[in-house]
Amino acid sequence: MTALVCEPIGREVFAPFGEVMTIEGAELRMINGGTTERFHALATADTETEDGRTIVSLFRGQPRRFPYRVGMMERHPLGSQAFFPVTGGDWIAVVAGDESGRPGAPRAFVVPGNVGLQYGRNVWHHPLIAVGRVSDFLVVDREGPGNNLEEADYPAPYILTAP
Ligand SMILES: NC(=O)N[C@@H](O)C(=O)O
Ligand code: NI
């Protein structure tokens, strides 16, 4: 079993896997007579492949127990998937590149509770990893025809320790 160490999240380091959604560096638009700050277009959903449509859901994640065995990954061939924390609190994202149709070695990122991520379409990732407490996330992803879930097991699990 291989140790999986969390790295700090950042736009550049996460760029091969998708977008980091944070107000830092976002386009700020003052609206509503100056009473509201609009941090515009943190990401663009990619859901229209094969007549898909964008939906918004709420995921309530149970905290994972650590050390946590990352034994599988999944991806959504037809659409992106974005998670934005509602409850707050750090969470963990695990992603991987593709190697001949299977996930490569994973990379784990600790994500602050006020930062969201969008996984690009067909990007390998582990299902939601909530940390420390039951955590709610707003999720923007695809609904529509076709199979939008592909899963793959690792030959041996990676062991993720608590951040
Ligand atoms: N199954 C589901 O909708 N959730 C996963 O895709 C996930 O990434 O958590
Ligand atoms: Ni997913």
Side-chain angles (χ1 to χ4, degrees), residues 112-143:
N114 60 351
V115 176
L117 297 177
Q118 175 163 274
Y119 302 127
R121 179 164 55 86
N122 217 32
V123 170
W124 289 109
H125 60 280
H126 189 277
L128 177 62
I129 298 176
V131 177
R133 56 180 160 168
V134 175
S135 305
D136 289 352
F137 291 78
L138 205 63
V139 176
V140 179
D141 59 6
R142 177 193 180 274
E143 187 165 68

Side-chain angles (χ1 to χ4, degrees), residues 2 8 20 59 69 85 87 92 94 96 99 112 127 136 143:
T2 306
V20 176
F59 282 25
R69 294 163 67 102
T87 308
I92 292 176
V94 178
E99 291 181 2
D136 289 352
E143 187 165 68

Side-chain angles (χ1 to χ4, degrees), residues 6 13-14 19 21 31 38 55 65 67 76 81 85 89 94-95 97 109 113 146 154 159:
C6 279
V13 71
F14 193 74
E19 292 86 17
M21 300 189 290
I31 59 174
R38 177 184 173 125
I55 57 170
R65 295 180 186 278
H76 307 299
Q81 187 174 49
V94 178
V95 290
F109 296 96
Y154 279 122
I159 304 303

Side-chain angles (χ1 to χ4, degrees), residues 59-114:
F59 282 25
R60 176 159 291 171
Q62 297 300 312
R64 303 291 185 159
R65 295 180 186 278
F66 291 90
Y68 179 71
R69 294 163 67 102
V70 175
M72 60 78 67
M73 297 285 268
E74 65 169 33
R75 63 181 176 180
H76 307 299
L78 303 178
S80 56
Q81 187 174 49
F83 291 82
F84 207 95
V86 174
T87 308
D90 291 359
W91 57 292
I92 292 176
V94 178
V95 290
D98 183 62
E99 291 181 2
S100 307
R102 301 206 42 93
R107 294 181 69 177
F109 296 96
V110 61
V111 190
N114 60 351

